[in-house]
Amino acid sequence: MNGHHHDSEPGHVHAGHALPVLRPAVLGWAMAATLALVVAEVFGGVAGRSVALLNDALHNLSDVPALGISWLAMRWAERPADSDKTYGYHRAGVLAAFTNALLLLVLAVWLGYEAVQRLRAPVAVIESWMIWTSLAALAVNGGITLALVRGRGDLNLRSILVHNFGDALSNIAIITGAVIIHSTGARWIDPLLGLAIGLLVLWSSVGILRESSHILLEGRPRGMRVEEVARAVLSVSGVQEVHDVHLWSLGGGHHALSLHARIPDMHMDECERMLAAIQEKAAKGFGISHTTVQLERAGLPAQSGYVMPEPAKNKN
């Protein structure tokens, strides 16, 4: 006998975390602003002979496909489950986060290489162009970062948040480097700050890669333990044994549970009440919105006459 509990209503709070409330339109505006910023930084980099600004323009340009992927993922995640994707499209956001983190990883390595190259051969720049262009870039990246803060609990949006936070830090680094170069002539400070930013982006992208791949590989949700869930189910009156317990995340704060529970012979009404009690334990105790339970008979008396049939013998 199987019991099946479907996903809860949209906006339901799981384990103390509300689902993100941001709309895809926010990412659409972020894409438009980032493209405008890239054009401004290319112009400022050429006019100010700043390799740092041109590199930062490419840095921001890498955000455009990342934002596009995340926008598409948010649209997909809104689609209901169908006969093809029976769990829905919650994993679209996780897949986007994984892809974006790979882009971040490549970007971090590239930033580090460029920083080392500039340490070897510093470039003469016009500091005023660096400062004013970076101030404008900081305003754009800072605004996008603040707009995305509400959705930081979502892995997909978190990857974009890290992108833009890293961009804002790189703008600050360029401004600081330009001021110090103007004051002291120490041109090596700018690539040194760029190297530090590359390491920060590297650290952030590895964290997102680890978490998103954990979900894609059906890992148990963070903060949950299989033993604790099994003990909670065993506390339901009538449940004598729990086995074949599986916990995984669908993405977007939706968690799922499947298990086998051994129970004594009872009326169907009592089975339904037991299923409801197990599902309630999972939902209220662990924020699990999708529970599947297979009930199995336990403690069969010898006089029941229930005998396992012998395996069919090969007549050949």
Side-chain angles (χ1 to χ4, degrees):
M1 180 182 297
N2 292 332
H4 210 143
H5 182 213
H6 296 283
D7 290 348
S8 57
E9 293 298 321
H12 187 73
V13 176
H14 302 302
H17 296 287
L19 298 181
V21 293
L22 289 182
R23 308 301 299 168
V26 175
L27 292 179
W29 284 108
M31 261 194 293
T34 302
L35 279 172
L37 173 58
V38 168
V39 173
E41 283 198 312
V42 168
F43 179 79
V46 172
R49 299 195 302 273
S50 171
V51 175
L53 272 181
L54 290 174
N55 286 338
D56 198 55
L58 291 177
H59 185 182
N60 282 295
L61 186 61
S62 74
D63 291 353
V64 175
L67 286 164
I69 291 170
S70 295
W71 175 82
L72 186 62
M74 286 187 73
R75 294 297 301 268
W76 278 354
E78 291 179 338
R79 296 169 65 179
D82 53 36
S83 59
D84 187 35
K85 301 293 187 297
T86 56
Y87 270 124
Y89 292 79
H90 302 295
R91 286 277 176 88
V94 180
L95 188 60
F98 183 83
T99 306
N100 291 344
L102 283 177
L103 291 175
L104 278 170
L105 193 64
V106 173
L107 179 62
V109 173
W110 179 73
L111 280 174
Y113 174 78
E114 287 297 319
V116 171
Q117 290 298 103
R118 288 202 296 270
L119 279 171
R120 290 180 175 179
V123 179
V125 297
I126 301 174
E127 295 87 349
S128 59
W129 275 103
M130 290 179 66
I131 292 172
W132 289 111
T133 305
S134 294
L135 281 173
L138 180 61
V140 173
N141 286 318
I144 294 174
T145 300
L146 290 176
L148 295 176
V149 164
R150 282 188 305 165
R152 63 186 178 277
D154 180 83
L155 194 58
N156 175 33
L157 292 178
R158 183 178 137 204
S159 66
I160 299 299
L161 186 64
V162 170
H163 252 104
N164 282 277
F165 184 65
D167 293 342
L169 286 179
S170 67
N171 299 143
I172 294 173
I174 292 173
I175 294 169
T176 305
V179 171
I180 295 176
I181 290 171
H182 181 73
S183 302
T184 65
R187 296 174 183 169
W188 55 269
I189 290 180
D190 178 47
L192 187 65
L193 289 171
L195 184 60
I197 293 169
L199 291 174
L200 176 64
V201 174
L202 181 65
W203 175 77
S204 301
S205 62
V206 167
I208 294 173
L209 267 179
R210 186 183 296 115
E211 189 170 346
S212 57
S213 62
H214 180 76
I215 293 175
L216 292 174
L217 291 173
E218 306 288 359
R220 64 177 172 84
R222 300 297 185 189
M224 287 190 202
R225 292 174 59 85
V226 174
E227 297 84 357
E228 290 178 359
V229 175
R231 279 197 294 268
V233 174
L234 277 171
S235 69
V236 174
S237 178
V239 177
Q240 297 182 3
E241 179 189 324
V242 174
H243 60 274
D244 204 11
V245 180
H246 296 278
L247 277 169
W248 69 100
S249 175
L250 302 174
H254 297 272
H255 305 313
L257 164 68
S258 71
L259 59 93
H260 294 198
R262 291 193 182 276
I263 61 172
D265 286 335
M266 61 179 63
H267 195 272
M268 183 66 73
D269 288 344
E270 296 178 74
C271 287
E272 291 293 338
R273 284 194 291 269
M274 185 174 294
L275 282 173
I278 292 173
Q279 292 162 357
E280 186 178 6
K281 282 276 186 184
K284 291 187 176 179
F286 302 95
I288 297 171
S289 57
H290 193 106
T291 301
T292 304
V293 180
Q294 177 171 315
L295 298 179
E296 300 172 349
R297 301 175 76 186
L300 288 173
Q303 64 268 27
S304 67
Y306 182 82
V307 179
M308 289 295 292
E310 292 183 7
K313 295 180 180 179
N314 193 341
K315 296 180 180 180
N316 296 330

